[in-house]
Amino acid sequence: MNRPESTPAPAAVPAPAAGERRLTVAVSPEVAARYPQCRTVYLVARGVKNGEPWPRTEEALGALEEDVREGRLTPADEDHPVIGAWHGLLRSFGTNPRRARPSIDALSRRLRTSGRLPRVSPLVDTCNVVSLRHLVPTGGFDLAAFRTGMELRLARPGDVYVPLGEPDVTETPREGEVVYADGNQVVTRHWNHRDSDVTKVTGATRDAVLLLEGIAPVVPEERLLAARRELAELLAPHAEEIAFHDAEDGRTFEIVP
């Protein structure tokens, strides 16, 4: 389901022409039924200039680090309702959230303990800024690396995973773990704990699918949508096209890569 929002207005998404390859993005009916309190919203960015400086993103990263140093900001820890909700979610399918931390927990923990944030690439760094400002896990994937699309589903026999930064390593997710997958290629383990090296965003990434995740009621829908708008605003000067999408309750949307 597509939901247009304002500031900035997403570009119209043209219907695929006959014979064009299509990528399907979906939340499986099983995950939608088991976790009705969860919502994922998406943003597709095309023509991203990920190899040039993004001054607003760098300024935002510096401001977050300075706020922590000066005591104006205390990054969320396990006692925060949002982090607690994600810990509970991971435990529900057998993951220990202190060993495989949800992404927002790991990012907040890093800022809290070191006072610094990583500089990966402007697009990834922008996702981190939005994630911390709104306390919503925010991730990005290189659209060109997908074969069939991306589905939030339960892991099953035959799934494989290549950890981020370890291209020569292959893991087998436990059956029933909640993962994002492209066919049998898992692109994120433990819901949003760690991405795959296969679909990682790099400086050469031109087209990307970005997602933001929330758990009600600790993350109201308004906060999740506000986070997506801010992400779009930060991306807009460095992308040729931005489009908003939703995929929930077993529904899907298609992307022409």
Side-chain angles (χ1 to χ4, degrees):
M1 179 176 65
N2 295 342
R3 293 185 180 179
E5 295 181 26
S6 58
T7 318
V13 183
E20 283 186 310
R21 187 167 72 96
R22 305 182 187 191
L23 301 178
T24 300
V25 180
V27 177
S28 75
E30 294 83 1
V31 169
R34 185 179 297 186
Y35 302 103
Q37 75 277 33
C38 297
R39 183 174 179 193
T40 304
V41 298
Y42 302 82
L43 184 158
V44 174
R46 298 184 185 275
V48 177
K49 302 174 182 66
N50 202 29
E52 67 181 24
W54 293 19
R56 287 184 62 194
T57 293
E58 185 55 41
E59 289 171 8
L61 289 169
L64 285 166
E65 293 168 338
E66 182 179 352
D67 285 347
V68 170
R69 286 196 305 269
E70 299 298 324
R72 295 187 295 268
L73 172 67
T74 301
D77 59 16
E78 294 178 19
D79 294 328
H80 192 285
V82 171
I83 305 298
W86 279 107
H87 277 221
L89 196 76
L90 267 61
R91 289 192 186 99
S92 74
F93 53 84
T95 291
N96 182 338
R98 290 181 175 171
R99 292 183 179 176
R101 293 184 179 272
S103 64
I104 182 58
D105 181 19
L107 191 60
S108 294
R109 182 182 175 88
R110 180 166 182 166
L111 180 58
R112 187 173 65 253
T113 57
S114 72
R116 292 283 297 167
L117 289 167
R119 269 60 169 182
V120 181
S121 72
L123 182 55
V124 173
D125 298 347
T126 301
C127 288
N128 287 344
V129 166
V130 171
S131 187
L132 286 165
R133 282 179 170 174
H134 296 270
L135 281 185
V136 297
T138 305
F141 307 86
D142 192 317
L143 199 57
F146 285 93
R147 299 170 299 173
T148 64
M150 180 169 60
E151 182 180 24
L152 181 64
R153 62 165 173 80
L154 304 181
R156 57 198 182 210
D159 283 346
V160 295
Y161 169 75
V162 179
L164 183 65
E166 301 178 72
D168 298 324
V169 175
T170 300
E171 298 178 0
T172 302
R174 177 183 50 80
E175 188 173 352
E177 176 187 322
V178 179
V179 300
Y180 283 94
D182 174 17
N184 72 334
Q185 180 72 58
V186 170
V187 300
T188 301
R189 288 201 63 184
H190 306 289
W191 204 302
N192 57 39
H193 163 63
R194 190 180 185 191
D195 293 341
S196 169
D197 202 74
V198 174
T199 51
K200 68 183 178 184
V201 169
T202 71
T205 296
R206 286 278 294 163
D207 302 325
V209 56
L210 313 175
L211 58 84
L212 305 91
E213 302 169 314
I215 302 176
V218 293
V219 176
E221 180 179 25
E222 293 77 13
R223 188 200 298 183
L224 188 62
L225 297 179
R228 180 166 63 175
R229 287 194 298 271
E230 181 175 7
L231 181 58
E233 289 165 2
L234 290 169
L235 277 169
H238 311 285
E240 295 173 3
E241 178 186 313
I242 294 173
F244 293 158
H245 300 271
D246 288 350
E248 55 186 333
D249 300 333
R251 292 190 289 269
T252 67
F253 67 87
E254 290 184 333
I255 305 170
V256 179

